[in-house]
Amino acid sequence: MVRTASAAGSRTGKVVHGTGRRIRRATAAEGAGESGLAKLIELHALNAFGDMLITVALASTIFFSVPTGEARGRVALYLLVTMAPFALLAPVIGPLLDRLPHGRRAAVAMSMLARAVLAWTMAGVVTGGGLALYPEALGVLVASKAYGVVRSVVVPRLLPSRLSLVKANSRVTLAGLLATMVAAGVGGLLHLIGPGWPLRGAFLVFVAGTLMAFHLPHKVDSAKGEQRAVLHAEEHPPGHHGVLHGRSSPAPEPAPEPAAGPRPKASLRTVGPSVILALRAMAAMRWLVGFLVMFLAFLLREEPIGGLQPTLALGLVALAAGTGNAIGSALGSWLRPRSPEMTVTAMLLLAGGATAAAALWYGTVTVVTVAAVAGTAASLGKLSLDALIQRDVPESVRTSAFARSETLLQMSWVAGGAVGILLPLNGALGLSVAAAVLGAVLLWTLRSLLRVGVRHRPAAPRVA
Protein backbone atom coordinates (compact mmCIF):
# COMPACT_ATOMS: atom_id res chain seq x y z
CA MET A 1 0.00 0.00 0.00
CA VAL A 2 2.85 2.34 0.82
CA ARG A 3 4.54 1.60 -2.53
CA THR A 4 1.23 2.12 -4.36
CA ALA A 5 0.60 5.43 -2.60
CA SER A 6 4.16 6.55 -3.30
CA ALA A 7 3.85 5.65 -6.98
CA ALA A 8 0.50 7.48 -7.23
CA GLY A 9 2.00 10.54 -5.57
CA SER A 10 4.98 10.45 -7.91
CA ARG A 11 2.73 10.23 -10.97
CA THR A 12 0.57 13.10 -9.67
CA GLY A 13 3.66 15.21 -9.09
CA LYS A 14 4.88 14.57 -12.62
CA VAL A 15 1.49 15.51 -14.08
CA VAL A 16 1.36 18.74 -12.05
CA HIS A 17 4.96 19.59 -12.93
CA GLY A 18 4.36 18.88 -16.63
CA THR A 19 1.18 20.94 -16.65
CA GLY A 20 2.98 23.83 -14.98
CA ARG A 21 5.78 23.65 -17.54
CA ARG A 22 3.30 23.73 -20.43
CA ILE A 23 1.43 26.68 -18.93
CA ARG A 24 4.70 28.56 -18.43
CA ARG A 25 5.70 27.90 -22.08
CA ALA A 26 2.31 29.15 -23.29
CA THR A 27 2.45 32.37 -21.27
CA ALA A 28 6.05 33.07 -22.33
CA ALA A 29 5.50 32.46 -26.07
CA GLU A 30 6.25 35.08 -28.76
CA GLY A 31 8.56 37.14 -26.59
CA ALA A 32 6.18 37.47 -23.63
CA GLY A 33 8.73 35.84 -21.33
CA GLU A 34 11.54 38.25 -22.26
CA SER A 35 9.35 41.38 -22.07
CA GLY A 36 7.83 40.51 -18.69
CA LEU A 37 4.29 40.08 -20.02
CA ALA A 38 4.29 36.44 -18.88
CA LYS A 39 4.74 37.57 -15.26
CA LEU A 40 1.75 39.89 -15.61
CA ILE A 41 -0.34 37.06 -17.10
CA GLU A 42 0.48 34.83 -14.13
CA LEU A 43 -0.23 37.66 -11.69
CA HIS A 44 -3.59 38.34 -13.35
CA ALA A 45 -4.51 34.67 -13.07
CA LEU A 46 -3.81 34.85 -9.32
CA ASN A 47 -5.89 38.03 -9.08
CA ALA A 48 -8.85 36.41 -10.85
CA PHE A 49 -8.53 33.28 -8.70
CA GLY A 50 -8.65 35.27 -5.47
CA ASP A 51 -11.54 37.47 -6.59
CA MET A 52 -13.57 34.39 -7.51
CA LEU A 53 -12.99 32.82 -4.09
CA ILE A 54 -14.33 35.99 -2.45
CA THR A 55 -17.31 36.00 -4.84
CA VAL A 56 -18.15 32.40 -3.90
CA ALA A 57 -18.03 33.26 -0.18
CA LEU A 58 -20.21 36.37 -0.53
CA ALA A 59 -22.71 34.71 -2.87
CA SER A 60 -23.19 31.79 -0.50
CA THR A 61 -23.93 34.20 2.37
CA ILE A 62 -25.84 37.04 0.68
CA PHE A 63 -27.66 35.15 -2.07
CA PHE A 64 -27.97 31.37 -1.72
CA SER A 65 -28.35 30.88 2.03
CA VAL A 66 -31.62 32.83 2.50
CA PRO A 67 -35.10 32.95 0.86
CA THR A 68 -35.46 34.88 -2.40
CA GLY A 69 -37.17 37.92 -0.88
CA GLU A 70 -34.57 38.30 1.84
CA ALA A 71 -31.75 37.64 -0.66
CA ARG A 72 -32.98 40.46 -2.88
CA GLY A 73 -33.02 42.77 0.11
CA ARG A 74 -29.48 41.73 1.08
CA VAL A 75 -28.16 42.26 -2.45
CA ALA A 76 -29.94 45.61 -2.64
CA LEU A 77 -28.23 46.52 0.63
CA TYR A 78 -24.93 45.29 -0.82
CA LEU A 79 -25.42 47.56 -3.85
CA LEU A 80 -26.32 50.50 -1.64
CA VAL A 81 -23.48 50.09 0.84
CA THR A 82 -20.78 49.08 -1.67
CA MET A 83 -21.74 50.16 -5.18
CA ALA A 84 -23.04 53.61 -4.27
CA PRO A 85 -19.84 54.71 -2.48
CA PHE A 86 -17.82 53.03 -5.22
CA ALA A 87 -19.74 55.12 -7.78
CA LEU A 88 -18.28 58.15 -6.03
CA LEU A 89 -14.81 56.63 -5.57
CA ALA A 90 -14.37 55.12 -9.05
CA PRO A 91 -13.90 58.45 -10.89
CA VAL A 92 -11.08 59.19 -8.45
CA ILE A 93 -9.23 55.87 -8.88
CA GLY A 94 -8.06 56.45 -12.46
CA PRO A 95 -6.81 60.04 -12.02
CA LEU A 96 -5.21 59.16 -8.66
CA LEU A 97 -3.25 56.24 -10.12
CA ASP A 98 -2.50 58.38 -13.14
CA ARG A 99 -0.66 60.77 -10.83
CA LEU A 100 1.47 57.93 -9.41
CA PRO A 101 3.19 56.60 -12.55
CA HIS A 102 6.38 55.67 -10.69
CA GLY A 103 4.58 53.43 -8.21
CA ARG A 104 2.59 51.03 -10.37
CA ARG A 105 4.16 47.87 -8.97
CA ALA A 106 3.54 49.18 -5.47
CA ALA A 107 -0.06 50.05 -6.42
CA VAL A 108 -0.66 46.48 -7.67
CA ALA A 109 0.94 45.06 -4.52
CA MET A 110 -1.17 47.30 -2.28
CA SER A 111 -4.37 46.26 -4.07
CA MET A 112 -3.44 42.62 -3.43
CA LEU A 113 -2.39 43.19 0.19
CA ALA A 114 -5.56 45.15 0.97
CA ARG A 115 -7.71 42.29 -0.31
CA ALA A 116 -5.66 39.75 1.64
CA VAL A 117 -6.28 41.61 4.91
CA LEU A 118 -9.96 42.18 4.13
CA ALA A 119 -10.50 38.54 3.12
CA TRP A 120 -9.04 37.34 6.43
CA THR A 121 -11.20 39.83 8.33
CA MET A 122 -14.37 38.87 6.46
CA ALA A 123 -13.78 35.19 7.20
CA GLY A 124 -14.69 35.88 10.82
CA VAL A 125 -18.00 37.67 10.10
CA VAL A 126 -19.23 36.06 6.86
CA THR A 127 -21.38 33.47 8.64
CA GLY A 128 -23.76 36.03 10.13
CA GLY A 129 -23.88 38.21 7.01
CA GLY A 130 -24.28 41.32 9.19
CA LEU A 131 -23.65 44.94 8.33
CA ALA A 132 -19.97 44.63 9.26
CA LEU A 133 -19.48 42.55 6.09
CA TYR A 134 -20.48 45.32 3.69
CA PRO A 135 -17.81 47.98 4.35
CA GLU A 136 -15.21 45.25 4.01
CA ALA A 137 -16.79 44.12 0.74
CA LEU A 138 -16.59 47.73 -0.45
CA GLY A 139 -12.87 47.74 0.30
CA VAL A 140 -12.41 44.52 -1.69
CA LEU A 141 -14.37 45.99 -4.61
CA VAL A 142 -12.37 49.23 -4.70
CA ALA A 143 -9.05 47.37 -4.47
CA SER A 144 -10.10 45.01 -7.27
CA LYS A 145 -11.09 47.87 -9.58
CA ALA A 146 -7.89 49.74 -8.76
CA TYR A 147 -5.94 46.66 -9.82
CA GLY A 148 -7.94 46.53 -13.08
CA VAL A 149 -7.08 50.13 -13.90
CA VAL A 150 -3.36 49.65 -13.18
CA ARG A 151 -3.28 46.42 -15.24
CA SER A 152 -4.69 48.23 -18.28
CA VAL A 153 -1.95 50.82 -17.92
CA VAL A 154 0.84 48.27 -17.42
CA VAL A 155 0.14 46.00 -20.43
CA PRO A 156 1.48 48.48 -23.05
CA ARG A 157 4.70 48.79 -21.06
CA LEU A 158 5.32 45.02 -21.27
CA LEU A 159 4.34 44.55 -24.91
CA PRO A 160 6.80 42.31 -26.79
CA SER A 161 7.71 43.30 -30.34
CA ARG A 162 6.02 40.22 -31.82
CA LEU A 163 2.61 40.82 -30.21
CA SER A 164 -0.06 43.43 -30.83
CA LEU A 165 -1.78 45.08 -27.89
CA VAL A 166 -5.03 43.29 -28.76
CA LYS A 167 -3.35 39.88 -28.68
CA ALA A 168 -1.53 40.67 -25.44
CA ASN A 169 -4.74 41.76 -23.73
CA SER A 170 -6.45 38.66 -25.09
CA ARG A 171 -3.83 36.44 -23.43
CA VAL A 172 -4.19 38.23 -20.12
CA THR A 173 -7.99 37.95 -20.25
CA LEU A 174 -7.93 34.26 -21.16
CA ALA A 175 -5.61 33.52 -18.24
CA GLY A 176 -8.03 35.28 -15.91
CA LEU A 177 -11.02 33.37 -17.29
CA LEU A 178 -9.31 30.01 -16.89
CA ALA A 179 -8.28 30.86 -13.34
CA THR A 180 -11.84 31.97 -12.55
CA MET A 181 -13.29 28.65 -13.70
CA VAL A 182 -10.82 26.67 -11.60
CA ALA A 183 -11.41 28.95 -8.60
CA ALA A 184 -15.18 28.43 -8.80
CA GLY A 185 -14.70 24.68 -8.24
CA VAL A 186 -12.09 25.17 -5.52
CA GLY A 187 -14.27 27.75 -3.78
CA GLY A 188 -17.23 25.36 -3.82
CA LEU A 189 -15.13 22.63 -2.22
CA LEU A 190 -13.78 25.00 0.44
CA HIS A 191 -17.31 26.17 1.20
CA LEU A 192 -18.22 22.59 2.09
CA ILE A 193 -15.70 22.82 4.93
CA GLY A 194 -17.15 26.11 6.16
CA PRO A 195 -18.38 29.50 4.83
CA GLY A 196 -15.17 31.23 5.89
CA TRP A 197 -12.76 28.87 4.15
CA PRO A 198 -13.02 30.37 0.62
CA LEU A 199 -12.01 33.70 2.20
CA ARG A 200 -9.05 32.10 3.96
CA GLY A 201 -8.03 30.61 0.62
CA ALA A 202 -8.31 34.08 -0.96
CA PHE A 203 -6.05 35.44 1.78
CA LEU A 204 -3.27 33.03 0.78
CA VAL A 205 -3.75 33.79 -2.93
CA PHE A 206 -3.53 37.55 -2.45
CA VAL A 207 -0.49 37.27 -0.20
CA ALA A 208 1.24 35.38 -3.03
CA GLY A 209 0.03 38.07 -5.46
CA THR A 210 1.51 40.80 -3.27
CA LEU A 211 4.93 39.17 -3.50
CA MET A 212 4.59 38.52 -7.25
CA ALA A 213 3.76 42.18 -7.95
CA PHE A 214 7.30 43.24 -7.05
CA HIS A 215 8.70 40.71 -9.55
CA LEU A 216 7.23 42.66 -12.46
CA PRO A 217 9.93 44.39 -14.56
CA HIS A 218 11.12 47.81 -13.39
CA LYS A 219 9.98 49.41 -16.66
CA VAL A 220 6.40 49.07 -15.36
CA ASP A 221 7.20 52.07 -13.15
CA SER A 222 8.65 54.12 -15.99
CA ALA A 223 6.67 57.21 -16.95
CA LYS A 224 9.06 58.67 -19.48
CA GLY A 225 7.25 61.08 -21.79
CA GLU A 226 3.79 60.46 -20.33
CA GLN A 227 1.06 63.07 -19.87
CA ARG A 228 -2.56 62.94 -18.77
CA ALA A 229 -5.38 62.37 -21.24
CA VAL A 230 -8.90 63.79 -21.32
CA LEU A 231 -11.70 61.59 -22.68
CA HIS A 232 -13.09 64.03 -25.23
CA ALA A 233 -13.73 63.58 -28.94
CA GLU A 234 -12.64 67.02 -30.17
CA GLU A 235 -10.25 66.82 -33.09
CA HIS A 236 -6.78 68.30 -32.72
CA PRO A 237 -6.53 71.81 -34.17
CA PRO A 238 -4.35 72.51 -37.18
CA GLY A 239 -0.68 72.80 -36.43
CA HIS A 240 -0.70 70.30 -33.58
CA HIS A 241 0.54 66.77 -34.03
CA GLY A 242 -1.20 64.42 -31.67
CA VAL A 243 -0.56 65.97 -28.25
CA LEU A 244 -2.08 69.20 -27.00
CA HIS A 245 -0.78 70.62 -23.78
CA GLY A 246 -2.62 71.69 -20.67
CA ARG A 247 -1.35 72.94 -17.36
CA SER A 248 -0.51 69.48 -15.97
CA SER A 249 2.69 68.94 -17.96
CA PRO A 250 5.41 71.00 -19.63
CA ALA A 251 5.08 71.79 -23.30
CA PRO A 252 7.85 71.10 -25.81
CA GLU A 253 9.73 73.82 -27.56
CA PRO A 254 7.21 75.72 -29.73
CA ALA A 255 7.65 75.71 -33.48
CA PRO A 256 8.65 79.00 -35.12
CA GLU A 257 5.65 81.18 -35.94
CA PRO A 258 5.16 84.23 -38.07
CA ALA A 259 5.77 87.37 -36.04
CA ALA A 260 2.41 88.87 -36.97
CA GLY A 261 0.32 85.81 -36.08
CA PRO A 262 -0.87 85.02 -32.54
CA ARG A 263 0.42 81.95 -30.73
CA PRO A 264 -2.07 79.05 -30.92
CA LYS A 265 -3.96 78.76 -27.65
CA ALA A 266 -3.23 75.61 -25.67
CA SER A 267 -6.19 73.33 -25.01
CA LEU A 268 -6.96 70.00 -23.37
CA ARG A 269 -5.57 66.86 -24.97
CA THR A 270 -8.15 64.66 -26.66
CA VAL A 271 -8.32 60.98 -27.57
CA GLY A 272 -10.18 61.39 -30.87
CA PRO A 273 -13.71 60.60 -32.07
CA SER A 274 -13.07 56.94 -32.94
CA VAL A 275 -11.98 56.13 -29.38
CA ILE A 276 -15.01 57.94 -27.96
CA LEU A 277 -17.27 56.00 -30.35
CA ALA A 278 -15.85 52.68 -29.17
CA LEU A 279 -15.88 53.74 -25.52
CA ARG A 280 -19.57 54.66 -25.75
CA ALA A 281 -20.43 51.31 -27.35
CA MET A 282 -18.35 49.39 -24.79
CA ALA A 283 -19.97 51.27 -21.92
CA ALA A 284 -23.37 50.07 -23.19
CA MET A 285 -22.14 46.47 -23.40
CA ARG A 286 -20.64 46.61 -19.90
CA TRP A 287 -23.97 48.06 -18.73
CA LEU A 288 -25.70 45.04 -20.26
CA VAL A 289 -23.34 42.61 -18.50
CA GLY A 290 -23.97 44.24 -15.12
CA PHE A 291 -27.71 44.27 -15.75
CA LEU A 292 -27.82 40.59 -16.72
CA VAL A 293 -25.78 39.53 -13.70
CA MET A 294 -28.16 41.14 -11.21
CA PHE A 295 -31.45 40.70 -13.06
CA LEU A 296 -31.07 37.08 -14.13
CA ALA A 297 -29.63 36.03 -10.77
CA PHE A 298 -32.93 36.82 -9.04
CA LEU A 299 -35.26 36.09 -11.94
CA LEU A 300 -33.94 32.56 -12.47
CA ARG A 301 -33.95 31.82 -8.78
CA GLU A 302 -37.62 32.75 -8.51
CA GLU A 303 -38.78 31.60 -11.96
CA PRO A 304 -36.30 29.06 -13.41
CA ILE A 305 -36.34 28.62 -17.17
CA GLY A 306 -37.41 25.37 -18.78
CA GLY A 307 -38.50 23.80 -15.50
CA LEU A 308 -34.89 23.48 -14.37
CA GLN A 309 -33.76 23.71 -10.77
CA PRO A 310 -32.78 27.32 -9.84
CA THR A 311 -29.15 26.40 -9.15
CA LEU A 312 -28.91 24.49 -12.44
CA ALA A 313 -30.50 27.34 -14.40
CA LEU A 314 -28.08 29.86 -12.87
CA GLY A 315 -25.14 27.55 -13.53
CA LEU A 316 -26.18 27.11 -17.16
CA VAL A 317 -26.39 30.87 -17.73
CA ALA A 318 -23.06 31.45 -15.93
CA LEU A 319 -21.42 28.75 -18.06
CA ALA A 320 -22.78 30.37 -21.24
CA ALA A 321 -21.49 33.81 -20.18
CA GLY A 322 -18.03 32.41 -19.32
CA THR A 323 -17.87 30.51 -22.61
CA GLY A 324 -18.85 33.67 -24.48
CA ASN A 325 -16.07 35.59 -22.75
CA ALA A 326 -13.55 32.92 -23.71
CA ILE A 327 -14.78 32.91 -27.32
CA GLY A 328 -14.45 36.69 -27.54
CA SER A 329 -10.92 36.61 -26.15
CA ALA A 330 -9.93 33.79 -28.52
CA LEU A 331 -11.40 35.64 -31.50
CA GLY A 332 -9.50 38.76 -30.49
CA SER A 333 -6.26 36.80 -30.42
CA TRP A 334 -7.00 35.11 -33.75
CA LEU A 335 -8.59 37.89 -35.80
CA ARG A 336 -6.70 40.91 -37.05
CA PRO A 337 -9.48 43.43 -37.67
CA ARG A 338 -8.53 46.37 -39.86
CA SER A 339 -11.42 48.51 -38.63
CA PRO A 340 -11.97 48.25 -34.87
CA GLU A 341 -14.76 50.85 -35.18
CA MET A 342 -16.75 48.41 -37.29
CA THR A 343 -15.97 45.52 -34.94
CA VAL A 344 -17.17 47.27 -31.80
CA THR A 345 -20.29 48.55 -33.61
CA ALA A 346 -21.04 45.04 -34.88
CA MET A 347 -20.66 43.66 -31.35
CA LEU A 348 -23.12 46.25 -30.03
CA LEU A 349 -25.56 45.33 -32.81
CA LEU A 350 -25.16 41.62 -32.02
CA ALA A 351 -25.73 42.15 -28.28
CA GLY A 352 -28.76 44.37 -28.93
CA GLY A 353 -30.26 41.87 -31.37
CA ALA A 354 -29.81 38.95 -28.98
CA THR A 355 -31.34 40.93 -26.10
CA ALA A 356 -34.34 41.94 -28.23
CA ALA A 357 -34.86 38.33 -29.35
CA ALA A 358 -34.74 37.15 -25.73
CA ALA A 359 -37.36 39.78 -24.81
CA LEU A 360 -39.69 38.66 -27.63
CA TRP A 361 -39.23 34.91 -27.20
CA TYR A 362 -38.28 34.51 -23.55
CA GLY A 363 -37.16 30.95 -22.85
CA THR A 364 -34.25 28.68 -22.06
CA VAL A 365 -32.54 28.94 -25.45
CA THR A 366 -32.84 32.71 -25.79
CA VAL A 367 -31.73 33.46 -22.21
CA VAL A 368 -28.67 31.21 -22.52
CA THR A 369 -27.95 32.75 -25.93
CA VAL A 370 -28.13 36.34 -24.68
CA ALA A 371 -25.73 35.48 -21.83
CA ALA A 372 -23.24 33.93 -24.27
CA VAL A 373 -23.58 36.76 -26.81
CA ALA A 374 -23.19 39.44 -24.12
CA GLY A 375 -19.98 37.77 -22.92
CA THR A 376 -18.57 37.47 -26.44
CA ALA A 377 -19.54 41.02 -27.44
CA ALA A 378 -18.13 42.62 -24.28
CA SER A 379 -14.86 40.68 -24.55
CA LEU A 380 -14.22 41.30 -28.26
CA GLY A 381 -15.49 44.87 -28.00
CA LYS A 382 -13.00 45.64 -25.23
CA LEU A 383 -10.16 44.28 -27.34
CA SER A 384 -11.29 46.52 -30.23
CA LEU A 385 -11.35 49.53 -27.90
CA ASP A 386 -7.78 48.68 -26.85
CA ALA A 387 -6.77 48.55 -30.52
CA LEU A 388 -8.26 52.00 -31.14
CA ILE A 389 -6.46 53.49 -28.15
CA GLN A 390 -3.23 52.00 -29.47
CA ARG A 391 -3.89 53.37 -32.95
CA ASP A 392 -5.27 56.83 -32.28
CA VAL A 393 -3.99 58.00 -28.90
CA PRO A 394 -0.47 59.50 -28.86
CA GLU A 395 2.13 57.54 -26.94
CA SER A 396 2.58 60.34 -24.42
CA VAL A 397 -1.03 60.05 -23.15
CA ARG A 398 -1.87 56.43 -23.98
CA THR A 399 -1.42 55.00 -20.50
CA SER A 400 -3.64 57.73 -19.04
CA ALA A 401 -6.34 56.97 -21.62
CA PHE A 402 -6.31 53.30 -20.59
CA ALA A 403 -6.74 54.24 -16.92
CA ARG A 404 -9.64 56.61 -17.50
CA SER A 405 -11.47 54.39 -19.99
CA GLU A 406 -11.27 51.40 -17.64
CA THR A 407 -12.76 53.47 -14.81
CA LEU A 408 -15.67 54.55 -17.03
CA LEU A 409 -16.38 50.95 -18.06
CA GLN A 410 -16.45 49.82 -14.43
CA MET A 411 -18.93 52.59 -13.66
CA SER A 412 -21.14 51.36 -16.50
CA TRP A 413 -21.25 47.89 -14.96
CA VAL A 414 -22.34 49.42 -11.66
CA ALA A 415 -25.15 51.34 -13.38
CA GLY A 416 -26.38 48.22 -15.18
CA GLY A 417 -26.39 46.22 -11.96
CA ALA A 418 -28.40 48.92 -10.19
CA VAL A 419 -31.08 48.87 -12.90
CA GLY A 420 -31.18 45.07 -12.77
CA ILE A 421 -31.84 45.00 -9.03
CA LEU A 422 -34.55 47.69 -9.19
CA LEU A 423 -36.69 46.32 -12.04
CA PRO A 424 -39.62 43.95 -11.38
CA LEU A 425 -38.78 40.27 -11.88
CA ASN A 426 -40.43 39.93 -15.28
CA GLY A 427 -38.21 38.42 -17.96
CA ALA A 428 -39.82 40.03 -21.01
CA LEU A 429 -40.03 43.45 -19.32
CA GLY A 430 -36.46 43.48 -18.05
CA LEU A 431 -34.93 42.32 -21.32
CA SER A 432 -37.09 44.82 -23.25
CA VAL A 433 -35.67 47.64 -21.13
CA ALA A 434 -32.14 46.37 -21.79
CA ALA A 435 -32.83 46.08 -25.53
CA ALA A 436 -34.18 49.64 -25.60
CA VAL A 437 -31.06 51.00 -23.88
CA LEU A 438 -28.75 49.16 -26.30
CA GLY A 439 -30.87 50.23 -29.28
CA ALA A 440 -30.58 53.89 -28.33
CA VAL A 441 -26.80 53.65 -27.92
CA LEU A 442 -26.56 51.70 -31.20
CA LEU A 443 -28.31 54.51 -33.11
CA TRP A 444 -25.95 57.02 -31.50
CA THR A 445 -22.96 54.87 -32.40
CA LEU A 446 -24.07 54.42 -36.03
CA ARG A 447 -24.53 58.18 -36.35
CA SER A 448 -21.02 58.73 -34.99
CA LEU A 449 -19.61 56.00 -37.28
CA LEU A 450 -21.08 57.70 -40.35
CA ARG A 451 -19.57 61.01 -39.26
CA VAL A 452 -16.16 59.63 -38.29
CA GLY A 453 -15.82 57.04 -41.05
CA VAL A 454 -13.62 53.96 -40.94
CA ARG A 455 -9.89 54.52 -40.99
CA HIS A 456 -7.26 51.94 -41.78
CA ARG A 457 -4.33 53.84 -40.38
CA PRO A 458 -1.51 51.65 -39.04
CA ALA A 459 -1.18 51.26 -35.31
CA ALA A 460 0.62 53.94 -33.37
CA PRO A 461 4.12 53.09 -32.14
CA ARG A 462 4.24 50.89 -29.08
CA VAL A 463 5.25 52.17 -25.70
CA ALA A 464 8.93 51.62 -25.05
Side-chain angles (χ1 to χ4, degrees), residues 83-411:
M83 296 295 191
F86 178 70
L88 301 176
L89 290 171
V92 180
I93 294 175
L96 177 63
L97 294 174
D98 196 26
R99 292 177 183 273
L100 301 172
H102 297 290
R104 289 174 186 144
R105 292 190 304 168
V108 171
M110 286 303 298
S111 75
M112 296 281 185
L113 182 59
R115 280 177 285 172
V117 173
L118 289 168
W120 186 264
T121 305
M122 284 193 295
V125 298
V126 71
T127 305
L131 285 176
L133 183 65
Y134 295 94
E136 294 163 351
L138 169 62
V140 170
L141 182 67
V142 172
S144 179
K145 301 313 178 188
Y147 164 82
V149 170
V150 179
R151 177 185 65 85
S152 295
V153 172
V154 165
V155 171
R157 288 280 165 195
L158 301 179
L159 202 63
S161 59
R162 286 176 278 175
L163 282 182
S164 67
L165 184 59
V166 173
K167 197 167 184 178
N169 274 296
S170 178
R171 281 193 184 183
V172 175
T173 303
L174 275 174
L177 287 171
L178 292 173
T180 297
M181 289 188 285
V182 175
V186 173
L189 294 175
L190 289 174
H191 182 70
L192 295 177
I193 304 174
W197 281 97
L199 292 166
R200 294 185 180 95
F203 166 79
L204 295 176
V205 170
F206 286 126
V207 167
T210 302
L211 300 176
M212 283 186 64
F214 290 106
H215 287 279
L216 292 173
H218 288 281
K219 60 185 174 182
V220 164
D221 289 332
S222 171
K224 184 179 179 181
E226 291 183 7
Q227 299 166 358
R228 289 195 297 152
V230 176
L231 297 183
H232 191 273
E234 179 185 351
E235 295 282 6
H236 302 307
H240 289 258
H241 301 284
V243 181
L244 303 178
H245 299 278
R247 293 182 299 171
S248 59
S249 57
E253 291 298 324
E257 297 175 1
R263 181 183 299 274
K265 185 178 179 180
S267 64
L268 294 174
R269 291 177 297 279
T270 63
V271 296
S274 292
V275 173
I276 295 300
L277 177 153
L279 188 57
R280 185 186 302 128
M282 261 310 302
M285 287 186 275
R286 280 287 181 90
W287 181 94
L288 176 65
V289 171
F291 171 83
L292 291 176
V293 167
M294 291 299 175
F295 184 71
L296 292 181
F298 289 107
L299 178 64
L300 298 182
R301 186 178 178 186
E302 189 168 289
E303 300 176 4
I305 50 177
L308 301 174
Q309 291 294 324
T311 306
L312 180 58
L314 287 169
L316 188 61
V317 171
L319 177 63
T323 303
N325 257 299
I327 291 173
S329 298
L331 285 175
S333 180
W334 178 60
L335 294 175
R336 295 178 178 271
R338 294 187 176 182
S339 53
E341 301 98 331
M342 289 294 295
T343 301
V344 75
T345 304
M347 290 300 101
L348 181 58
L349 174 62
L350 183 63
T355 307
L360 291 173
W361 301 286
Y362 180 77
T364 305
V365 175
T366 52
V367 169
V368 171
T369 300
V370 77
V373 169
T376 302
S379 181
L380 187 53
K382 178 61 167 65
L383 295 174
S384 298
L385 172 62
D386 291 343
L388 280 168
I389 293 177
Q390 182 192 29
R391 189 193 74 183
D392 288 359
V393 176
E395 179 180 332
S396 57
V397 295
R398 196 178 298 148
T399 54
S400 175
F402 272 112
R404 291 165 188 266
S405 64
E406 182 64 24
T407 300
L408 180 60
L409 295 182
Q410 299 293 354
M411 289 295 301

